[in-house]
């Protein structure tokens, strides 16, 4: 398949948004454009995973998801990638470690919806992720309270930075995370699949 991988220069701040994108939709675009602005990112890379270890059923074929994502996300500073498939990594921590090793001097910021923060402590090597990469958390409908009460939020309460300092996140040493309340989009991949509009 071989999607050409994006290039970053030392000193740039790159947001990483991982997931199955099954399918990509306006909610993903909304999170991405908000992150670009609020965290003052040079680029955002969408990392379409071959599969999600926490989900029971596999997603649609990667090539189909990449094609759909590329049609939905059209922005000069956003790249749709299959980095995990090319690296052969299964877990986020392994992907991040590989990206950091291959891109010295590039500042990566892991981006996620607040729903992911609520169950982040179930991720493989989640503490390594928190300790090695700044994290930008974007609030989506109904997820704010659960995220703020999550194990990850409690364990790393000391590393949280205020929303008004969000633009500094990419320049901070990990652990550092920032919770952003954003205008909400309720669209979800599961709802699109349930309506029969995908695959």
């Amino acid at each position: 398949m071989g999607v050409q991988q994006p290039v970053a220069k030392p000193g740039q701040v790159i947001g990483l948004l991982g997931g199955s994108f099954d399918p990509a939709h306006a909610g993903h675009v909304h999170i991405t454009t908000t992150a670009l602005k609020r965290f003052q990112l040079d680029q955002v890379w969408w990392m379409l995973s071959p599969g999600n270890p926490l989900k029971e059923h596999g997603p649609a074929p990667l090539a189909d998801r990449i094609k759909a994502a590329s049609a939905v996300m059209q922005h000069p500073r956003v790249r749709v990638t299959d980095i995990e498939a090319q690296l052969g990594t299964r877990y986020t921590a392994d992907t991040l470690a590989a990206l950091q090793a291959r891109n010295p001097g590039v500042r990566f910021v892991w981006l996620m919806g607040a729903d992911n923060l609520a169950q982040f402590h179930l991720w493989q090597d989640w503490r390594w992720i928190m300790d090695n990469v700044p994290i930008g958390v974007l609030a989506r409908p109904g997820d704010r309270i659960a995220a703020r009460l999550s194990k990850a939020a409690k364990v790393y309460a000391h590393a949280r930075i205020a929303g008004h300092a969000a633009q500094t996140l990419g320049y901070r040493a990990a652990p550092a995370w920032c919770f952003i309340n954003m205008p909400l989009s309720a669209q979800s991949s599961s709802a699109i699949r349930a309506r029969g509009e995908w695959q």
Side-chain angles (χ1 to χ4, degrees):
M1 181 184 343
V3 175
Q4 186 173 357
Q5 294 311 313
V7 177
K9 300 182 182 120
Q12 284 191 316
V13 181
I14 308 298
L16 301 172
L17 185 65
S20 55
F21 295 91
D22 187 30
H25 54 71
H28 294 125
V29 174
H30 185 50
I31 280 179
T32 301
T33 54
T34 300
L36 275 167
K37 182 178 174 185
R38 293 293 301 276
F39 299 124
Q40 294 189 6
L41 305 170
D42 293 301
Q43 298 178 50
V44 171
W45 298 354
W46 279 17
M47 301 195 313
L48 279 67
S49 62
N52 182 340
L54 292 180
K55 290 190 177 174
E56 192 176 327
H57 302 291
L62 184 56
D64 294 348
R65 289 182 284 128
I66 285 173
K67 185 176 178 183
S70 298
V72 168
M73 184 72 252
Q74 297 188 356
H75 189 286
R77 291 191 287 132
V78 180
R79 307 283 181 267
V80 173
T81 79
D82 62 352
I83 285 173
E84 286 186 313
Q86 294 203 18
L87 291 174
T89 52
R90 177 174 171 147
Y91 295 107
T92 299
D94 298 333
T95 303
L96 292 172
L99 285 173
Q100 287 178 330
R102 289 175 175 223
N103 297 275
V106 174
R107 298 174 176 275
F108 290 108
V109 172
W110 182 253
L111 303 172
M112 65 169 129
D115 55 328
N116 286 131
L117 184 65
Q119 47 110 40
F120 191 50
H121 61 282
L122 301 176
W123 291 27
Q124 182 88 9
D125 298 321
W126 69 275
R127 288 176 185 262
W128 184 93
I129 299 170
M130 291 290 290
D131 289 337
N132 286 275
V133 184
I135 296 178
V137 182
L138 297 112
R140 300 201 303 182
D143 297 320
R144 296 176 182 182
I145 293 172
R148 287 182 173 142
L149 297 177
S150 69
K151 181 173 180 178
K154 289 177 179 174
V155 171
Y156 285 91
H158 65 283
R160 183 176 173 184
I161 66 171
H164 63 76
Q167 73 279 5
T168 69
L169 181 63
Y171 297 97
R172 293 184 181 239
W177 63 284
C178 184
F179 188 97
I180 293 293
N181 286 315
M182 54 184 253
L184 299 176
S185 167
Q187 196 162 18
S188 73
S189 297
S190 55
I192 292 170
R193 290 195 301 273
R195 292 196 300 267
E197 295 172 17
W198 174 244
Q199 297 303 338

